[in-house]
Amino acid sequence: MADFSYEKIKDLEGIARVPVLTLDERWYKLIPAKYKTDEINYWEKRVNELLKKQGQANNDIKEVKKIKNQLIQEVVEAMEDDDNSDAKKKKMEQNQRLIQEAKDKIASLEDEALDYPKELADANKHLISETLKVVYERLNTNVEDIEVLSKWIDQTRIKLKKNIVIRQDKEEANERMYTYMHDIFGPDFSNELDKLNEDFKINKEETSND
């Protein structure tokens, strides 16, 4: 069987175009639950965890940016009025500090988010590898079974054709014999003989069943 290990497939050109498997409904049809190995279950869970973390990080970045923009707007508005009170200065200083904290948080989240695509792609490759192992094993097993069944069908078809010819020969032989009997013995006597033969067959079946 071909080697579909992670090391063998991770650098193949086409793998970069494969979507995240757990987001593709067709993947669940390709690998139903009853065929999932422990390795498939592990990497499926890992891929979904990374998707969740990546989505959360992106949402967090949007939220912090929103807060930062609100703080900047407050600073701009405060600079436009004539209030020179200590309370205003304190509020301005607080906003400036919060804006800087927001910038630092955004930078940290963006750095964190940069790691997720690579981790996700790597986990997806592992999932692809484990999926291919199971799918190709099933494909190859089916091919072997199909070859065996095809051979049996071909042999049976030949035997069937032979038996059809034998049956036709026997049917034609019986027709000839009945024709000769009717011609020789006449229809009435032939009917009596047929009745005796039917009784004989019935008695024979009953005897064999005892």
Side-chain angles (χ1 to χ4, degrees):
M1 182 180 290
D3 185 356
F4 292 103
S5 64
Y6 168 78
E7 290 300 325
K8 283 288 185 180
I9 71 164
K10 68 183 179 70
D11 296 322
L12 294 178
E13 182 179 349
I15 202 168
R17 295 188 292 273
V18 178
V20 176
L21 293 184
T22 61
L23 297 179
D24 192 330
E25 286 297 323
R26 294 168 298 183
W27 178 71
Y28 297 94
K29 295 177 181 178
L30 176 65
I31 190 80
K34 67 179 180 178
Y35 293 112
K36 289 181 181 178
T37 61
D38 290 342
E39 288 79 10
I40 288 176
N41 286 325
Y42 171 82
W43 288 109
E44 178 184 6
K45 182 179 179 182
R46 178 61 178 158
V47 166
N48 287 336
E49 286 175 347
L50 288 167
L51 282 170
K52 185 176 179 180
K53 288 181 178 180
Q54 181 175 257
Q56 186 61 55
N58 290 334
N59 286 335
D60 289 346
I61 290 170
K62 289 179 182 178
E63 287 300 315
V64 177
K65 283 184 176 181
K66 183 178 177 181
I67 293 171
K68 185 195 75 171
N69 291 336
Q70 289 173 345
L71 291 169
I72 291 174
Q73 184 61 32
E74 288 181 12
V75 170
V76 171
E77 291 174 356
M79 291 175 64
E80 291 176 350
D81 64 40
D82 297 329
D83 184 7
N84 293 318
S85 65
D86 290 339
K88 175 187 173 181
K89 290 179 182 179
K90 186 176 181 180
K91 181 66 174 175
M92 290 277 285
E93 290 173 0
Q94 183 184 32
N95 282 356
Q96 292 287 356
R97 177 177 57 79
L98 290 173
I99 289 170
Q100 187 57 50
E101 289 179 2
K103 288 180 179 179
D104 293 341
K105 181 65 175 177
I106 291 169
S108 174
L109 287 170
E110 287 178 340
D111 286 342
E112 181 183 342
L114 286 174
D115 294 331
Y116 289 130
K118 183 179 181 301
E119 291 181 33
L120 183 57
D122 190 63
N124 196 50
K125 288 178 182 179
H126 277 284
L127 185 56
I128 292 170
S129 167
E130 297 303 327
T131 297
L132 291 175
K133 289 177 185 178
V134 172
V135 170
Y136 270 96
E137 182 177 358
R138 290 183 63 204
L139 283 170
N140 293 337
T141 298
N142 284 345
V143 167
E144 292 171 3
D145 290 344
I146 289 168
E147 290 174 353
V148 171
L149 289 168
S150 295
K151 185 176 180 181
W152 179 86
I153 290 169
D154 289 340
Q155 291 173 344
T156 303
R157 185 181 289 117
I158 293 171
K159 188 175 181 180
L160 177 62
K161 288 180 179 179
K162 289 180 178 178
N163 286 337
I164 289 172
V165 171
I166 293 171
R167 186 187 68 179
Q168 288 175 338
D169 287 343
K170 290 182 180 292
E171 287 173 343
E172 290 172 0
N174 277 0
E175 276 189 41
R176 286 195 300 272
M177 285 189 286
Y178 270 115
T179 299
Y180 294 148
M181 286 172 63
H182 275 247
D183 290 345
I184 296 171
F185 302 121
D188 293 338
F189 186 42
S190 293
N191 288 336
E192 291 176 334
L193 294 174
D194 287 341
K195 187 177 184 306
L196 286 174
N197 184 55
E198 288 298 321
D199 292 341
F200 168 75
K201 288 194 293 183
I202 291 172
N203 290 332
K204 184 178 179 182
E205 289 178 2
E206 290 176 348
T207 302
S208 65
N209 291 332
D210 289 342

